[in-house]
Amino acid sequence: MAAADQAHYDGCLECKARFTRIAGEAGATGTLLAVPAFDADPAAALVLVQARIQRDEAARPPRWYERWIDRRTPRLRPLATPAIAVLLAAVLISGVAVTGLGGQLLRVFEPTRLVAVPVSPSSFPSSDVLLDYGQVKWLPAAPTAQPVADAATAHQLSGLPILVPASLPNGVSGPVTYGVVSHATGSLTFDAARLNASAVKAGVRVGPMPAAINGSTLVVNGGPALLEAWGLSGSSSQLQVPTLVIAQTRVPTVDSSGATTAQLEDYLLSQPGVPPDLAAQIKAVKDPSTTLPIPIPKGFATTETKTINGVQYLIIKAALGAGAVWVKDGVIYAVGGQLTPDQVLAIATSLH
Amino acid sequence: MLHAEAWRPTVIRAPLNAISRRSPDPFERLFLQEYPKVVAIAYRVLADRPAAEDVAQEVFLKFHRSFSPDSERASGWLHAAAVHSALNVIRGERRRAQRETTHALDPSQPPEANPELLVEAADQRRQVRRALRRLPERTAAVLMLRYSGLSYAEVATALRIRVGNVGTLLRRAEDALRKEVNRATSS
């Protein structure tokens, strides 16, 4: 109470009576609402809540993109499920435009533009079958993904600039977290015997691997990639959904020794699990050596393209958010989050 | 080919998950900070420790599914959710009957306590809960938040009202509760 108020109160019988009355009523109410003592145990309660969160998360049906990615699949194992493996392979080698010459590596894929390829998520089988298409080698080591403490370290490790939007929309705030995927080169040498053995083991029928493909090698060169994310709570017990992600990576390249474009494309797109409509669309890509197909799940997202200052942006619109992907000067950029398409485009065009 | 995964979502998820394992965890920090208040609010309404713990757990689970622990509204939301959830419980006839049967006597009291006093106290708590059920939602909420130990500012934040109005609402709520209890006692 301020000194002046205290002075007034000390000399005012009416205020004192009012205070006494209010205090008495509060005391009576306090008596009515009294409950026996109870010492809460937050640490024990936290254990119970975290267990519930984990149970809920485990019981949650997979989201459409998780069915694609197969959350239980180690990301560096030799080819994931047939559907995912072949989709990835098809995306990469759909650009094989130059006939490979035996023993000589040729640059067969280096994307400079993107195209949306609508696919139906339900047409992918949800099998966990693992097929082994051949020998995988990393030169010298497999790529690693790691969290990075700050922007300076992220820049140093990736060699990519830290991108900052001119302004952040409402709802996007908080500290930025960084992730870096290292640069790496890998090769896959097709091996019919290994594929057949893994198919028998998995109980899956696969067609014969063409002689031209058996023994040929694809060399894939990718990364580094740099990721900036806003809105991560840091909770270890939930699937994180950032409010904004800005990602960039140098374009991957594919070199081939042996198999031709047509042979690789025909073979991989005919593998079990590849929906016919997806295969047809990838085959129909006009300039496959420089075009990176971006699969878009039908019914979950729509796309449109916008060209601003000579750069073509692929805008992806979904119920929960939006994203933009574009290629510029040998780098693939992606911006996405729980935002509107206009907000995403504003961020994409204002990065510096 | 596998190298393609370096820029596929598979790998994008990996650093996110790894980053999220930093400590201290904001949700854990929020939980440890707010749980005593949340469970105290529920307990003040329900006068039943297991039921209060259940309500507090559900409140935090709901929060976890929907909000960021870094949100400025986190504390206010938790307090409001606790009081409204607990009031909903005492308004549920079936659960209320079960609870009153189970907790007519307070098991936390020492066995040597006077049985007559225990019965009397349990009976009074039942009457107060019945009175609370008949109060308007906001009236009951302001009362229970304040008597759970929240400051006027915290009550105002939780109920999204002006701090200057809390005192007036509280006086009216106290008056309304006493009238309801008296009505129940005299009927």
Side-chain angles (χ1 to χ4, degrees):
Chain A
M1 191 182 294
D5 294 337
Q6 183 69 52
H8 169 82
Y9 177 82
D10 290 342
C12 179
L13 292 177
E14 189 178 342
C15 284
K16 283 185 174 177
R18 185 164 179 265
F19 175 82
T20 304
R21 179 173 54 81
I22 289 175
E25 290 173 355
T29 308
T31 303
L32 281 177
L33 295 177
V35 285
F38 163 29
D39 289 328
D41 185 348
L46 178 60
V47 172
L48 293 175
V49 165
Q50 287 177 325
R52 273 283 302 275
I53 289 170
Q54 286 179 358
R55 280 204 305 276
D56 292 351
E57 180 69 15
R60 174 179 64 75
R63 299 180 173 98
W64 63 267
Y65 55 84
E66 289 169 341
R67 288 202 299 271
W68 272 22
I69 292 169
D70 184 2
R71 54 200 306 210
R72 288 164 295 175
T73 302
R75 58 193 162 78
L76 298 181
R77 77 187 187 183
L79 296 177
T81 65
I84 295 165
V86 177
L87 176 64
L88 288 172
V91 164
L92 273 180
I93 68 137
S94 63
V96 176
V98 181
T99 299
L101 300 175
Q104 184 177 355
L105 287 179
L106 294 176
R107 175 58 45 84
V108 291
F109 181 61
E110 188 167 8
T112 58
R113 58 187 291 270
L114 309 167
V115 63
V117 180
V119 294
S120 173
S122 60
S123 62
F124 286 92
S126 59
S127 104
D128 282 335
V129 173
L130 174 65
L131 292 181
D132 180 1
Y133 281 82
Q135 174 74 41
V136 174
K137 288 182 180 174
W138 293 104
L139 313 168
T144 58
Q146 60 176 318
V148 178
D150 55 58
T153 311
H155 170 61
Q156 185 184 6
L157 288 176
S158 66
L160 294 165
I162 302 298
L163 297 175
V164 181
S167 64
L168 289 172
N170 288 338
V172 177
S173 64
V176 187
T177 48
Y178 300 91
V180 170
V181 181
S182 63
H183 168 267
T185 299
S187 69
L188 167 68
T189 301
F190 288 98
D191 185 333
R194 287 177 62 157
L195 175 62
N196 291 336
S198 68
V200 168
K201 188 176 176 184
V204 175
R205 289 187 60 184
V206 294
M209 185 182 286
I213 289 179
N214 188 15
S216 69
T217 298
L218 291 181
V219 178
V220 183
N221 196 8
L226 189 156
L227 187 81
E228 301 164 60
W230 282 257
L232 291 178
S233 70
S235 171
S236 58
S237 53
Q238 69 181 120
L239 181 66
Q240 294 291 296
V241 183
T243 50
L244 169 65
V245 171
I246 298 174
Q248 52 181 320
T249 181
R250 299 204 188 282
V251 295
T253 59
V254 182
D255 298 82
S256 169
S257 72
T260 68
T261 307
Q263 287 165 339
L264 283 166
E265 190 172 276
D266 286 347
Y267 175 65
L268 290 173
L269 292 179
S270 67
Q271 290 303 291
V274 178
D277 64 332
L278 172 66
Q281 289 184 80
I282 290 179
K283 284 184 178 179
V285 169
K286 190 177 176 183
D287 187 4
S289 67
T290 58
T291 302
L292 176 65
I294 304 289
I296 302 295
K298 285 179 187 172
F300 290 97
T302 58
T303 63
E304 65 172 314
T305 57
K306 285 191 177 179
T307 302
I308 299 173
N309 294 330
V311 178
Q312 191 178 61
Y313 296 88
L314 176 65
I315 312 292
I316 303 162
K317 292 180 278 190
L320 296 177
V325 189
W326 68 101
V327 183
K328 185 180 178 185
D329 299 332
V331 177
I332 299 173
Y333 299 90
V335 169
Q338 300 168 47
L339 303 166
T340 67
D342 287 343
Q343 288 174 321
V344 164
L345 196 58
I347 291 171
T349 54
S350 74
L351 292 178
H352 59 277
Chain B
M1 175 191 309
L2 297 183
H3 206 70
E5 296 183 32
W7 46 268
R8 300 293 297 181
T10 316
V11 170
I12 297 249
R13 282 163 47 88
L16 287 182
N17 289 341
I19 290 165
S20 71
R21 283 194 288 272
R22 293 172 309 175
S23 68
D25 182 307
F27 178 76
E28 291 179 11
R29 194 169 56 233
L30 177 73
F31 188 98
L32 294 173
Q33 174 189 313
E34 292 295 338
Y35 181 81
K37 284 183 183 172
V38 169
V39 79
I41 293 166
Y43 182 54
R44 184 68 60 166
V45 175
L46 299 167
D48 176 349
R49 178 174 177 159
E53 289 172 328
D54 285 349
V55 164
Q57 186 178 93
E58 291 301 324
V59 164
F60 276 99
L61 286 170
K62 192 173 179 184
F63 177 88
H64 183 270
R65 284 193 288 265
S66 308
F67 302 103
S68 162
D70 296 322
S71 166
E72 292 178 1
R73 280 276 305 149
S75 297
W77 189 94
L78 288 168
H79 300 160
V83 74
H84 291 307
S85 299
L87 287 169
N88 284 342
V89 170
I90 65 169
R91 289 184 171 122
E93 286 296 323
R94 188 169 60 83
R95 296 176 68 178
R96 176 181 60 81
Q98 180 184 10
R99 188 184 63 255
E100 287 179 352
T101 302
T102 308
H103 300 284
L105 294 179
D106 179 14
S108 67
Q109 291 295 313
E112 64 271 20
N114 185 328
E116 288 182 7
L117 290 179
L118 289 180
V119 170
E120 192 178 324
D123 188 52
Q124 177 173 305
R125 284 198 292 277
R126 271 199 300 273
Q127 289 179 1
V128 170
R129 263 77 230 168
R130 285 186 193 129
L132 275 175
R133 285 206 302 274
R134 289 192 289 270
L135 291 182
E137 179 82 11
R138 191 171 75 160
T139 301
V142 72
L143 196 61
M144 303 316 291
L145 288 174
R146 177 60 179 156
Y147 280 88
S148 301
L150 267 62
S151 67
Y152 275 32
E154 287 174 318
V155 172
T157 301
L159 300 181
R160 298 195 171 201
I161 57 179
R162 286 165 48 187
V163 177
N165 290 344
V166 172
T168 305
L169 290 172
L170 190 59
R171 299 290 90 75
R172 290 177 186 163
E174 289 169 340
D175 192 41
L177 176 71
R178 283 196 306 277
K179 284 179 180 170
E180 286 293 346
V181 171
N182 289 338
R183 185 184 303 168
T185 309
S186 59
S187 61

